Amino acid sequence: MSSQIFRSVSRATRSIISSASKQKSSLLSGRSASAAAAISYKGVLPALASFGRDSSGNTSSTWIAGAFMLPAAAYMVQDQEAHAAEMERTFIAIKPDGVQRGLISEIISRFERKGFKLVAIKLVIPSKSFAQQHYHDLKERPFFNGLCDFLSSGPVLAMVWEGEGVIKYGRKLIGATDPQKSEPGTIRGDLAVGVGRNIIHGSDGPETAKDEISLWFKPEELTSYISNQEKWVYGVN
Ligand code: DAT
Ligand code: MG
């Protein structure tokens, strides 16, 4: 029984280590960063190992510690690995109206408080041709030219946010395109009135997220780090 559990821990640990070592660059992807988090969670094991010891620190019944520790370790390592697979990234931008209206901290705090993780941020004034690239899907729409003039008219706060379900849920936090139709409680619902000045952009799916992140950011501008919050935001019971 316990050797079976031990094999399962070893297998999970090996797969995490091998997935981390497959990374060619020194930058960890979202997946391997989370795998690294799983490895760091091994720090809880000494606490579990202290079960079965008396107050002097002598091991009174080591087998109890072993039986207790290994299933817990197997659960945590494998669980973290499963969770790592669900991480995604989205591109979020505060448009010139949101920046000029002093809404940067208000908007960032909504993503931050939710539990999503900021992995890239910069303030830029995009050129008109850059804006046209960003909105290329809309080039047939009558408002395309005005929209691109507007996006390139001032500073835009470009960001990448990471988390489980962040693409879809980021759109929920933002609200409907037309602020007249956005629910109260959403960013556009609470903070904007007209569709032409709806203060924020968010990628609408996995493909656009990938394209927009690589349009706005160089790979080396994307950070990978383990947030101290992660085990509290993603704990599974
Ligand atoms: P979203 O920003 O919600 O993804 P979208 O991609 O359809 O919406 O359009 C991009 C932006 O274009 C949108 O944020 C505001 C502007 N826009 C959309 N529809 C518009 C309209 N009918 N009139 C003026 N501007 C519009
Ligand atoms: Mg869109």
Side-chain angles (χ1 to χ4, degrees), residues 99-177:
V99 174
Q100 294 291 355
R101 291 180 51 203
L103 295 173
I104 289 174
S105 61
E106 167 73 38
I107 291 170
I108 286 182
S109 78
R110 292 182 183 219
F111 281 82
E112 223 176 13
R113 286 182 312 192
K114 170 74 177 164
F116 292 139
K117 181 167 79 177
L118 183 64
V119 296
I121 186 165
K122 64 181 174 189
L123 192 67
V124 288
I125 302 179
S127 65
K128 174 104 181 252
S129 71
F130 190 92
Q132 286 165 337
Q133 259 180 284
H134 172 75
Y135 278 130
H136 67 94
D137 280 356
L138 300 170
K139 60 176 181 294
E140 308 302 334
R141 307 296 292 274
F143 54 82
F144 178 69
N145 190 51
L147 176 65
C148 295
D149 275 339
F150 169 61
L151 193 73
S152 56
S153 69
V156 171
L157 192 76
M159 296 174 280
V160 177
W161 286 86
E162 182 182 289
E164 202 174 298
V166 72
I167 301 173
K168 208 167 173 185
Y169 208 91
R171 296 279 296 186
K172 266 194 188 179
L173 288 177
I174 289 171
T177 303

